[in-house]
Amino acid sequence: MAVVSTVLPRWTIWVPATAWLVLGVIYVMPSHEVLLVLAAVALAGAVFSAVHHAEVVAHRVGEPYGTLVLAVAVTIIEVALIVSVMLTATPEKADLARDTVFAAVMIVCNGIVGICLLVGGIRHHEQDFQVRGASAALAVLASLSILTLVMPNYTSTGHGEMLSPSQLIFAGLSSLVLYGVFVFVQTLRHRDYFIANVPDEDVHAEPPSIGTARLSAGFLLICLVAVVLLAKVLSPVVESLVEDAGAPDAVVGIVIAALVLLPEGLAAVRAARADRLQNSLNLALGSALACIGLTIPTVALVCLSTGQALLLGIGSKETVLLVLTLMIATLTLGTGRTTLLQGAVHLSLFAAYLFISFMP
C-alpha cells in the first residue's frame, strides 16, 4: 500500500475529533444552517481520514484482508444506519432498505468500478487483475442481487414486492451463508485468487508498527461512525430537498448509499490510480457483496421481530439495469485486463441509472 509511515499525520487525528465536536454542537442546536454546512465539511474530512487509516491497516495486515477491513466496517455501520432509520420511519419508508441496497450495488458496480477503470486506463493504459477472484465475486453478487431484489416480484405466496415470513427467513439466511462462504474463500481457502499477479512495489516498503496499525484501526472506526452520524444528520435536509425538487423517494436511498460508500470509493480509486487494480476490485466488489450479504439478513431479522413491512422487489426498469450491469461486468472482468473503454461503459450505465432515478 502507499501508506508506509510509522507515524500518523496530525490531520488524521484532529479531523475526526473536529467531526465529533461538530456532531455534539449539532445535537444542541440541530436547526442551525451554518452548522449543517459545517457538518457537510466535517463529513468530507472524516471520509478522507477514514481512507488514510484504512490504508494504514491494510498495509499492515496485507491483502486481501486489508480491503476486507474497510468493506465490512463500512457495511456494518451502514446497516446500523438503515435499521435506525427504519425503526423511526413511517410505513411509507418500507422500501428504504431496498432502495439503499440497490443504490449501493449500482454505485459500486458502475460508479466506483467505472471510475477506477477509467482513471487506471488513462494513467496506465492497461491494467491486470486475477480473473478467478473477480469471477467468484461476480457469481456471488449475481446470485445475491437477483434472489433478494428481483425474485420477490415473482413469488406466489408473497404480496407483490414483499416476501412471506418463511421466504424472508430463507433470503436472509442464504445471503448470510453465501457471503460467509465467499469471505472464507477470499481470506483462507483460495486467498491467492485475490492477490495481484505482479507484486506491488509498496509491499517491500516497511509496514507500520503494530501499535500504529491498532491506533489506525481505532480511528478508522471513529471516522466511520462519524460519517454515518453526519449522514444521518444531513438526511432530513436531503429528504426535504428531494421533496421540494419533486424527485422520487428512491433518490434518498441513493444519497444515503453514496455518502456511506465515500470512504470505500476514494480508497478504490486511489488504488487504481496507483496501478493496484486488484486491490481496487477487491474493495469495490467486496463492498457490494457485504452490502447485500449483511444488510438483507439484518433488515429481515428486524422486520420479523417488529412486524414492519419490507419491500424488496425492484421495478422493471431497475431490473433491466441490474441484469445489464451484471452482464457487462462479466464481460469487463472476464479477460483479466482492462482499459479506459470498460470504464466508460460502466460509467454510461451509472449515468443511465441516475437519470432514470431522477426522471422515471
Side-chain angles (χ1 to χ4, degrees):
M1 302 301 290
V3 179
V4 296
S5 174
T6 57
V7 179
L8 295 177
R10 293 181 180 179
W11 70 269
T12 63
I13 297 176
W14 62 258
V15 166
T18 303
W20 279 94
L21 178 61
V22 172
L23 275 169
V25 176
I26 286 177
Y27 279 104
V28 177
M29 298 182 294
S31 60
H32 202 287
E33 296 180 357
V34 175
L35 289 178
L36 293 177
V37 175
L38 291 177
V41 175
L43 175 64
V47 166
F48 282 101
S49 183
V51 171
H52 180 88
H53 291 297
E55 290 187 340
V56 172
V57 175
H59 186 51
R60 178 66 199 184
V61 301
E63 290 299 324
Y65 303 103
T67 54
L68 189 64
V69 170
L70 184 57
V72 174
V74 169
T75 303
I76 290 175
I77 300 177
E78 178 185 8
V79 170
L81 174 61
I82 294 175
V83 170
S84 64
V85 173
M86 286 179 58
L87 293 177
T88 58
T90 59
E92 289 76 14
K93 295 294 183 180
D95 55 357
L96 176 64
R98 176 199 66 186
D99 293 340
T100 305
V101 169
F102 179 64
V105 172
M106 298 303 291
I107 289 172
V108 168
C109 294
N110 288 325
I112 296 177
V113 170
I115 294 175
C116 289
L117 298 184
L118 184 66
V119 169
I122 292 175
R123 187 175 178 86
H124 304 286
H125 299 286
E126 289 186 345
Q127 291 183 294
D128 299 326
F129 62 92
Q130 285 271 33
V131 177
R132 293 176 296 179
S135 298
L138 283 176
V140 178
L141 179 61
S143 300
L144 288 177
S145 57
I146 296 298
L147 288 175
T148 57
L149 297 176
V150 178
M151 187 61 69
N153 293 323
Y154 300 96
T155 58
S156 57
T157 57
H159 303 282
E161 301 168 338
M162 299 176 59
L163 294 174
S164 66
S166 59
Q167 291 172 340
L168 192 57
I169 293 174
F170 175 80
L173 288 177
S174 61
S175 298
L176 188 61
V177 169
L178 194 53
Y179 178 67
V181 173
F182 173 78
V183 172
F184 171 74
V185 169
Q186 183 186 30
T187 57
L188 297 175
R189 179 60 60 89
H190 298 290
R191 180 171 174 261
D192 56 307
Y193 289 4
F194 302 88
I195 299 177
N197 290 317
V198 180
D200 188 350
E201 62 180 5
D202 289 327
V203 169
H204 302 289
E206 181 183 356
S209 64
I210 296 179
T212 301
R214 289 176 177 174
L215 186 61
S216 281
F219 273 106
L220 173 61
L221 181 60
I222 292 173
C223 290
L224 293 177
V225 174
V227 168
V228 173
L229 293 179
L230 288 169
K232 187 175 181 179
V233 168
L234 294 173
S235 292
V237 179
V238 173
E239 291 182 6
S240 62
L241 291 176
V242 169
E243 184 177 352
D244 293 340
D249 293 338
V251 175
V252 177
I254 296 176
V255 174
I256 292 176
L259 289 174
V260 178
L261 288 171
L262 266 177
E264 295 165 299
L266 288 177
V269 173
R270 289 180 63 174
R273 191 174 184 273
D275 203 16
R276 299 194 303 268
L277 185 61
Q278 183 66 56
N279 299 0
S280 182
L281 291 178
N282 287 347
L283 183 56
L285 297 178
S287 300
L289 289 172
C291 179
I292 301 180
L294 298 178
T295 301
I296 297 300
T298 305
V299 170
L301 179 62
V302 171
C303 291
L304 291 172
S305 301
T306 61
Q308 286 185 300
L310 176 63
L311 299 179
L312 285 179
I314 56 178
S316 56
K317 296 188 295 295
E318 290 79 9
T319 301
V320 171
L321 280 174
L322 177 60
V323 173
L324 183 59
T325 294
L326 295 174
M327 181 181 70
I328 295 299
T330 302
L331 296 174
T332 296
L333 304 179
T335 62
R337 297 181 68 86
T338 61
T339 64
L340 61 86
L341 175 61
Q342 285 95 332
V345 172
H346 281 277
L347 287 177
S348 69
L349 291 178
F350 185 59
Y353 162 66
L354 291 179
F355 180 78
I356 291 177
S357 297
F358 283 88
M359 301 291 293

